[in-house]
């Protein structure tokens, strides 16, 4: 068979592989959060998952979308950011509902010894986005507060980007901040594990998927000659994932004494 006779098969195969890689880039990033979402929903306990992971990804992907307006990159990467923002908002919604429900239950139990049966049970004070209390930043009682914060950040950064869109230095810096922020994705979870001296409550499947996904993503960046910021920060992200996996091994084989939450009440609110 002549070499040219295989073209009718090779071209569709190459196109199929290209579509598969693009689809993996768009939706692969949300897959690691499916087991974590299911675990939180099943156990009604969000303590093992740091909602600051959501904050990091929301900031990173909003900045990446703004970067696209200054320097167009591949459409799958743009759609990946949009899909990731929606996913992180869903994670925040679930974590907020679960955490507030647990806090209300504790509060009701503490007021259960009221003298009068008709006395109203007091609810804990609501933590609002408008309070601007740094102690409760990103630890609010209503999901709408998170949405307001995200919209405010998007509006401010979007306006600044509009003003400086003609500056190549600003655009390149914006792209670096976007991918560098995403590269720090695992740091909140890394710190939370260190703080708790345990990885209990964290989905190991999620971290394994992080590692495989970030490795695939970094290779994708390099092969498709994406902006250099993407490749460099992709490698950094893989290193952070590996550090978390080392924590899983360390804390499972050499259990650490947990940090007393009573002695450090602020630390439990940090993440």
């Amino acid at each position: 068979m002549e070499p040219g006779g295989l073209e009718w098969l090779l071209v569709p195969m190459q196109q199929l592989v290209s579509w598969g890689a693009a689809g993996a880039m768009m939706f692969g990033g949300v897959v690691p959060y499916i087991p974590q979402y299911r675990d939180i929903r099943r156990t009604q306990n969000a303590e093992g998952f740091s909602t600051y992971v959501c904050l990091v990804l929301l900031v990173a992907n909003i900045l990446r979308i703004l970067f696209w307006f200054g320097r167009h990159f591949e459409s799958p990467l743009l759609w990946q950011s949009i899909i990731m923002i929606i996913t992180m908002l869903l994670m925040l919604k679930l974590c907020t509902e679960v955490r507030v429900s647990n806090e209300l239950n504790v509060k009701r139990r503490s007021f259960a010894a009221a003298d009068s049966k008709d006395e109203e049970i007091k609810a804990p004070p609501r933590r609002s986005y408008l309070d601007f209390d740094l102690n409760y930043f990103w630890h609010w009682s209503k999901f709408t507060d998170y949405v307001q914060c995200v919209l405010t950040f998007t509006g401010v950064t979007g306006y600044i980007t509009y003003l400086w869109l003609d500056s190549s230095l600003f655009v390149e810096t914006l792209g670096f901040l976007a991918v560098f922020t995403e590269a720090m994705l695992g740091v909140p979870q890394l710190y939370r594990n260190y703080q708790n001296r345990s990885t209990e409550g964290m989905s190991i499947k999620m971290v394994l998927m992080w590692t495989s996904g970030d490795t695939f993503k970094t290779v994708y960046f390099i092969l498709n000659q994406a902006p250099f910021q993407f490749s460099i920060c992709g490698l950094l992200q893989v290193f952070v994932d590996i550090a978390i996996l080392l924590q899983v091994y360390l804390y499972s084989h050499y259990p650490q004494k947990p940090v007393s939450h009573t002695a450090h009440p602020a630390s439990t609110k940090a993440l």
Side-chain angles (χ1 to χ4, degrees):
M1 181 180 295
E2 297 180 1
L6 293 176
E7 290 184 1
W8 68 272
L9 179 62
L10 292 178
V11 172
M13 286 293 293
Q14 291 175 350
Q15 189 66 43
L16 186 62
V17 171
S18 177
W19 287 345
M25 281 302 303
M26 288 190 291
F27 296 99
V30 306
V31 173
Y33 300 96
I34 295 176
Q36 184 70 73
Y37 186 93
R38 294 178 63 183
D39 287 346
I40 294 174
R41 194 174 185 86
R42 175 177 54 84
T43 62
Q44 289 297 294
N45 185 351
E47 289 300 318
F49 176 74
S50 172
T51 55
Y52 274 75
V53 169
C54 300
L55 173 62
V56 170
L57 277 176
L58 285 169
V59 170
N61 285 282
I62 289 170
L63 293 179
R64 184 194 286 186
I65 291 174
L66 295 176
F67 175 53
W68 181 85
F69 287 99
R71 181 178 176 183
H72 290 349
F73 45 80
E74 286 193 330
S75 296
L77 298 180
L78 178 63
W79 280 106
Q80 180 199 40
S81 294
I82 296 172
I83 294 170
M84 183 61 73
I85 289 173
I86 296 173
T87 302
M88 289 302 100
L89 290 175
L90 291 175
M91 287 291 296
L92 272 176
K93 188 175 187 297
L94 175 63
C95 290
T96 304
E97 291 174 351
V98 169
R99 187 183 68 246
V100 171
S101 174
N102 291 338
E103 288 178 352
L104 286 174
N105 290 336
V106 172
K107 198 70 176 179
R108 283 169 181 159
R109 283 198 296 269
S110 65
F111 282 90
D115 294 333
S116 173
K117 294 182 180 180
D118 297 329
E119 183 178 352
E120 293 184 1
I121 300 176
K122 298 180 180 179
R126 290 188 178 275
R127 297 163 188 168
S128 172
Y129 159 70
L130 298 176
D131 291 340
F132 292 108
D133 187 343
L134 291 178
N135 291 326
Y136 294 114
F137 177 77
W138 210 250
H139 197 79
W140 302 305
S141 299
K142 293 193 298 182
F143 173 66
T144 52
D145 292 319
Y146 292 96
V147 175
Q148 290 174 13
C149 182
V150 170
L151 290 177
T152 300
F153 175 78
T154 303
V156 172
T157 53
Y159 181 68
I160 295 174
T161 301
Y162 173 76
L163 294 178
W164 291 87
L165 199 58
D166 294 332
S167 171
S168 59
L169 177 61
F170 173 82
V171 171
E172 293 300 327
T173 302
L174 182 65
F176 175 78
L177 289 176
V179 292
F180 180 76
T181 304
E182 185 175 357
M184 295 295 99
L185 165 65
V187 173
Q189 192 67 57
L190 188 74
Y191 176 72
R192 188 177 188 82
N193 295 341
Y194 171 77
Q195 186 182 45
N196 295 337
R197 301 295 193 273
S198 170
T199 56
E200 184 179 357
M202 181 195 73
S203 174
I204 299 178
K205 291 180 181 178
M206 178 187 71
V207 181
L208 289 172
M209 290 180 182
W210 273 357
T211 308
S212 58
D214 291 338
T215 303
F216 169 81
K217 182 171 60 177
T218 303
V219 173
Y220 181 91
F221 290 157
I222 296 173
L223 294 180
N224 287 275
Q225 297 181 341
F228 75 95
Q229 300 101 321
F230 285 56
S231 302
I232 295 174
C233 294
L235 290 172
L236 178 59
Q237 200 167 355
V238 172
F239 291 144
V240 174
D241 295 339
I242 293 174
I244 296 177
L245 290 176
L246 288 176
Q247 282 184 324
V248 174
Y249 173 81
L250 177 66
Y251 294 144
S252 61
H253 288 75
Y254 305 98
Q256 307 289 309
K257 184 178 179 181
V259 176
S260 174
H261 296 298
T262 304
H264 304 284
S267 65
T268 62
K269 300 173 184 176
L271 297 175

